Amino acid sequence: MKMLIGNMNFWFMLISFALAYSSYSTLGAIVGPVTDKFGYTSNQTSIFGVCFIVFGVLGSFIHAIMLDKCKMFKRQFIIVLGSSFLAYFLLIGSMPTGIAVLVAICLGIFGFCLIPVIGVGFSFTAINFSPISAAASCGIANMLNAIVGCGLTALVSYFYTESDDPLHPPPDSYKWIGLGILSGSVLLGLLICLLIKENINRGQSMRLS
């Protein structure tokens, strides 16, 4: 445990993973209020959620196959974060159109890019710090993910909370600020990820799919 706590490389991994994971968990928690701000119905929001999850599972499966084949964990992690950041632009661009089908497609693409961060992130954490126990490294990562996720959800949800005073509604810019914070967390995670030194035991067999 002391080897992990005093390892700056481990902290770069933890923070990068936590920022990306928290963006996923926060959007999953507040997707209803977010889409409501843009005028979409609850039925449409349900479809958005299904697209986000279904395509996310598909993306996770594809990333697992690629990791099994190539075992390039840092590269795969960068791909997940980089594609997720770019997908945010699709999502932000589609939201004000009012076209539910377009938003569903963009949320599906976004889920395809971002949700694999769970499997790729935990796999990268486990194997990059072997022979340290995967239970220890992934356990600490999971704890930090939960802490950062709660904080980010509390922060972003503030921008989608209805005002108690109908005469003074929240500024329209709030809905953009919330999405900006989420995309910024992924970008920050990507930049920190570049500082991680890859230290993979190539001789270790690790099946992911």
Side-chain angles (χ1 to χ4, degrees), residues 112-186:
F112 181 88
C113 295
L114 182 59
I115 290 180
V117 75
I118 303 172
V120 175
F122 279 120
S123 298
F124 188 21
T125 301
I127 200 168
N128 205 46
F129 299 97
S130 61
I132 302 297
S133 167
S137 57
C138 290
I140 295 173
N142 196 38
M143 179 182 68
L144 190 62
N145 287 349
I147 294 172
V148 176
C150 287
L152 189 63
T153 300
L155 173 62
V156 175
S157 62
Y158 168 79
F159 295 100
Y160 299 98
T161 303
E162 294 293 338
S163 173
D164 293 332
D165 185 357
L167 298 178
H168 298 87
D172 190 61
S173 61
Y174 273 20
K175 62 187 180 184
W176 299 109
I177 293 174
L179 289 174
I181 292 173
L182 289 175
S183 60
S185 69
V186 173

Side-chain angles (χ1 to χ4, degrees), residues 23-24 26-32 34-36 38 40-41 43-57 83-84 87-95 99-116 179 182:
S23 183
Y24 148 72
T26 297
L27 184 62
I30 65 168
V31 65
V34 171
T35 55
D36 182 65
F38 288 92
Y40 296 99
T41 66
N43 288 336
Q44 290 171 333
T45 299
S46 299
I47 295 174
F48 298 160
V50 170
C51 291
F52 180 67
I53 296 299
V54 170
F55 280 91
V57 171
S83 62
S84 298
Y88 257 118
F89 288 98
L90 289 177
L91 180 60
I92 292 172
S94 68
M95 281 292 189
I99 304 174
V101 174
L102 178 61
V103 176
I105 292 173
C106 290
L107 262 170
I109 294 172
F110 183 66
F112 181 88
C113 295
L114 182 59
I115 290 180
L179 289 174
L182 289 175

Side-chain angles (χ1 to χ4, degrees), residues 47-104:
I47 295 174
F48 298 160
V50 170
C51 291
F52 180 67
I53 296 299
V54 170
F55 280 91
V57 171
L58 176 62
S60 298
F61 181 72
I62 291 175
H63 276 281
I65 293 174
M66 293 173 67
L67 282 178
D68 268 351
K69 182 177 180 180
C70 302
K71 292 183 170 56
M72 300 294 290
F73 290 83
K74 181 177 178 179
R75 184 186 70 179
Q76 207 73 28
F77 195 60
I78 291 174
I79 289 173
V80 171
L81 269 61
S83 62
S84 298
F85 177 68
L86 295 176
Y88 257 118
F89 288 98
L90 289 177
L91 180 60
I92 292 172
S94 68
M95 281 292 189
T97 64
I99 304 174
V101 174
L102 178 61
V103 176

